[in-house]
Amino acid sequence: MISTYDDELLGGPFRRQISAGLRRSMPTHPVAKVRRWGAAEWPSLSEDTRAALLADPDAEVREAAQRHARYEDPAWAASLLPDRPCHARTDLLLHRPLTRTVVENVLSRPVGGEDKAMIAANPSLPADTVVLLAADPDPEVRIRIAQRTDLGPAECRTLMTDPHPGVRLAVSLHPALSEEERARIDYQVPMDHSFVHHPPPETPRDPRAVRRDALSRHPLLRRRAARDHLLPPDLVACLASDDDLGVRVLLAQNHPDAPASLLLRSFLEYAGPERSHLTTRPNFPTDGLAVFADHEDPEVRALAARAPDTEPTTVARLTQDPDRAVRAAAARHPNLPHSRLAALLDDEELAHHAAANASLPSDVIRRLLRTGGRQARPPG
């Protein structure tokens, strides 16, 4: 696709679907256009690979490499900094190396209300500015500063008792703190977060850091560990019984060996985004789900349609459920009585779901194929 189509047709969504393996091979790929795309991986490339791209026989590859190399020059990045709030300014202030002049201008004459918060997250921020912004009156700036790994001990201690709860929460996760120091911070764990599936990182985390997080008394660190797809069995067992809902659901959403009991418990207790993703996990159970046929939550009632032992009369009743998704799921259940299944083939809403029912008789299937789904039953 990269070789065939123009760049304009291969936008952000396409780039996000490129595998980590392909991205790693792009800078040295035999196809020049692929190498040009690979130059975008500049921050993670070795010095040898960078030098090869800068001397590439293809002019467009060399130009792309030079462009990415220039962005590491603070003076060049400063020359491109827009004087108005926009995406380009945000990118430069957040990610590109900052000159002292840019930092001083942001401090004295910020263009937008978030300028200081953006440079507070920039890895190139000078140490004295980190100290300065640790005492900034804007709590969002202090939150960003609290997350920096280069935060000094004195600033860290001050932020541990910050009047703003968001700052205290942010600094409570600082890697330099001991468990005892974290315990002395007055922080509150948010429960309004989305506990969803996360793709594995291109570079796996250090197993020692993952274990440290998994065994921490801080729920947010345990949640971070629970997202790790490579979590060893002993930590999976430990976190599966964690007393924090977020830890349990994140483990269920992300680990390929999450146990069936955890998956079902998480589905019953979590009603946030990507709840339905839990039912796609490898170990999600099917046995024993018929007991939920009368549950007040329609998403839980629909679980009964996944159970092979749900009684035919119950399945038939669920095809008349007030919730459309429950009706659709029941219409696909192989235990649906044939008389009810035949009736649903003429139902405008549920005909497609009924046609996917595995117990559909072969003569009816042939008739559906012959008529394009119309006149499912012979006349008379």
Side-chain angles (χ1 to χ4, degrees):
M1 292 178 71
I2 293 172
S3 301
T4 304
Y5 299 102
D6 293 335
D7 288 351
E8 292 75 19
L9 298 176
L10 303 175
F14 173 78
R15 289 176 180 268
R16 288 193 291 272
Q17 294 180 69
I18 296 176
S19 70
L22 177 55
R23 276 199 297 273
R24 285 193 294 269
S25 72
M26 281 179 163
T28 57
H29 199 277
V31 176
K33 188 176 181 183
V34 179
R35 294 199 302 278
R36 177 159 59 84
W37 277 50
E41 304 295 316
W42 195 263
S44 62
L45 300 182
S46 68
E47 289 301 321
D48 288 345
T49 303
R50 289 183 176 191
L53 290 171
L54 289 169
D56 196 275
D58 185 270
E60 291 187 350
V61 175
R62 295 196 303 274
E63 181 183 349
Q66 291 162 4
R67 183 171 63 252
H68 288 287
R70 282 196 296 264
Y71 272 110
E72 294 196 338
D73 177 4
W76 173 260
S79 71
L80 299 178
L81 184 66
D83 58 0
R84 66 192 184 287
C86 61
H87 290 303
R89 184 177 178 86
T90 297
D91 175 62
L92 287 161
L93 293 182
L94 278 173
H95 307 298
R96 307 302 176 183
L98 303 172
T99 64
R100 175 65 71 172
T101 300
V102 168
V103 171
E104 291 175 353
N105 286 342
V106 166
L107 295 177
S108 59
R109 296 184 300 278
V111 171
E114 299 180 358
D115 274 10
K116 284 197 290 184
M118 286 188 283
I119 67 167
N122 191 300
S124 70
L125 194 67
D128 60 328
T129 309
V130 172
V131 173
L132 178 66
L133 292 183
D136 193 87
D138 184 349
E140 184 57 38
V141 174
R142 301 198 305 278
I143 288 174
R144 298 285 185 93
I145 289 292
Q147 298 174 48
R148 296 184 65 94
T149 56
D150 59 352
L151 184 66
E155 290 70 45
C156 192
R157 286 192 297 271
T158 299
L159 295 176
M160 288 167 62
T161 58
D162 193 277
H164 193 279
V167 177
R168 298 196 302 274
L169 179 63
V171 79
S172 71
L173 300 173
H174 200 279
L177 295 180
S178 66
E179 286 292 296
E180 291 70 24
E181 289 170 321
R182 293 186 213 285
R184 292 199 295 269
I185 302 174
D186 178 21
Y187 63 84
Q188 297 204 350
V189 178
M191 294 304 298
D192 57 350
H193 285 185
S194 298
F195 306 132
V196 300
H197 173 76
H198 297 267
E202 293 185 17
T203 304
R205 291 187 63 201
D206 181 351
R208 293 170 299 180
V210 173
R211 181 168 291 275
R212 184 174 61 247
D213 287 349
L215 300 178
S216 171
R217 294 196 293 270
H218 199 305
L220 294 191
L221 291 178
R222 300 200 304 277
R223 289 181 191 179
R224 181 187 296 170
R227 293 167 45 176
D228 196 292
H229 295 229
L230 303 177
L231 209 62
D234 65 317
L235 295 183
V236 171
C238 177
L239 296 181
S241 59
D242 198 277
D243 59 4
D244 180 75
L245 173 67
V247 172
R248 297 194 303 273
V249 176
L250 285 169
L251 180 67
Q253 292 275 31
N254 290 280
H255 202 281
D257 296 325
S261 57
L262 172 67
L263 292 167
L264 179 57
R265 179 185 180 186
S266 297
F267 187 89
L268 296 176
E269 295 178 345
Y270 173 65
E274 292 191 23
R275 180 193 200 185
S276 61
H277 180 262
L278 290 164
T279 64
T280 71
R281 305 301 293 157
N283 295 330
F284 196 88
T286 55
D287 295 339
L289 300 182
V291 299
F292 298 114
D294 296 309
H295 199 279
E296 61 181 2
D297 183 341
E299 291 190 65
V300 178
R301 283 201 306 278
L303 292 179
R306 301 173 60 90
D309 58 343
T310 302
E311 294 292 332
T313 54
T314 302
V315 178
R317 174 169 59 81
L318 291 176
T319 63
Q320 297 175 311
D321 192 270
D323 185 83
R324 187 179 188 280
V326 175
R327 296 194 298 271
R332 294 171 174 261
H333 199 291
N335 289 353
L336 184 64
H338 281 188
S339 59
R340 180 60 179 155
L341 177 57
L344 292 183
L345 289 170
D346 288 332
D347 183 283
E348 183 177 348
E349 177 193 74
L350 297 176
H352 283 80
H353 302 284
N357 195 304
S359 69
L360 208 62
S362 57
D363 61 319
V364 176
I365 295 175
R366 287 192 293 270
R367 189 181 306 123
L368 289 171
L369 291 171
R370 193 169 57 248
T371 64
R374 297 183 298 277
Q375 299 176 2
R377 291 178 294 181

